[in-house]
């Protein structure tokens, strides 16, 4: 938002979001789904992987049954995404092993684990979750 529209427009958008809150933010992603399902608010902001994890939880599945994931699109395109990343310090004492870890994290096997176990979006094109309807669509 800042990169595309500038700080002032991003701050204006955030102020509008804050002014539209049904209640003071509290709890985490799961509580947002719970509150939407209970009718306390019309929508909540949470990470899609929590929603997918709740879908497999016997005591939280009702929250996902009463909600759905919407990936908001900003005017002119784009949406918010979280990223998992790796930083390697230039003075790392075990650089070779660190590089092996980084290469493994980017491998097809690890990317399938991100999708299948954590319900996160893999960074590699062509990697799809092996879970059926429980996985979030890309």
């Amino acid at each position: 938002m800042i990169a595309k529209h500038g700080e002032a427009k991003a701050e204006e958008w955030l102020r509008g979001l804050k002014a539209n809150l049904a209640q003071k933010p509290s709890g985490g992603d799961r509580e947002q789904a719970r509150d939407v399902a209970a009718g306390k608010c019309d929508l909540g902001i949470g990470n899609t992987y929590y929603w997918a994890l709740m879908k497999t939880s016997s005591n939280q599945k009702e929250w996902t049954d009463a909600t759905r994931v919407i990936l908001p699109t900003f005017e002119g395109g784009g949406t918010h995404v979280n990223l998992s990343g790796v930083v390697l310090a230039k003075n790392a004492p075990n650089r070779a092993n660190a590089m092996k870890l980084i290469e493994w994290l980017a491998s097809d096997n690890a990317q399938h684990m991100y999708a299948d176990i954590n319900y996160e979006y893999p960074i590699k094109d062509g990697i799809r979750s092996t879970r059926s309807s429980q996985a979030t669509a890309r």
Side-chain angles (χ1 to χ4, degrees):
M1 184 75 170
I2 291 171
K4 189 166 188 149
H5 300 288
E7 287 185 31
K9 192 78 167 164
E11 185 174 344
E12 177 186 339
W13 179 82
L14 286 168
R15 287 187 190 282
L17 181 71
K18 182 180 178 185
N20 198 33
L21 294 176
Q23 62 188 25
K24 183 178 180 179
S26 65
D29 300 64
R30 295 170 195 261
E31 288 76 20
Q32 305 315 306
R34 177 200 64 203
D35 289 351
V36 171
K40 291 183 178 180
C41 52
D42 294 328
L43 67 98
I45 298 174
N47 289 299
T48 56
Y49 60 88
Y50 277 107
W51 188 86
L53 288 167
M54 288 185 292
K55 204 162 187 55
T56 64
S57 171
S58 60
N59 64 337
Q60 296 171 347
K61 187 176 182 319
E62 67 188 61
W63 302 341
T64 61
D65 290 344
T67 60
R68 66 187 172 107
V69 172
I70 301 169
L71 298 176
T73 303
F74 293 114
E75 186 178 319
T79 190
H80 168 81
V81 293
N82 288 343
L83 299 173
S84 296
V86 177
V87 175
L88 177 59
K90 66 180 177 182
N91 59 345
N94 275 320
R95 183 177 177 81
N97 285 335
M99 286 304 299
K100 286 179 186 177
L101 174 62
I102 292 168
E103 289 167 359
W104 181 83
L105 288 170
S107 72
D108 288 359
N109 184 39
Q111 291 299 301
H112 275 288
M113 291 173 73
Y114 274 104
D116 296 336
I117 297 170
N118 288 359
Y119 296 97
E120 293 186 48
Y121 296 106
I123 60 167
K124 292 182 77 173
D125 284 338
I127 302 292
R128 299 288 181 254
S129 175
T130 57
R131 294 179 187 256
S132 58
S133 63
Q134 293 176 347
T136 55
R138 195 165 203 196

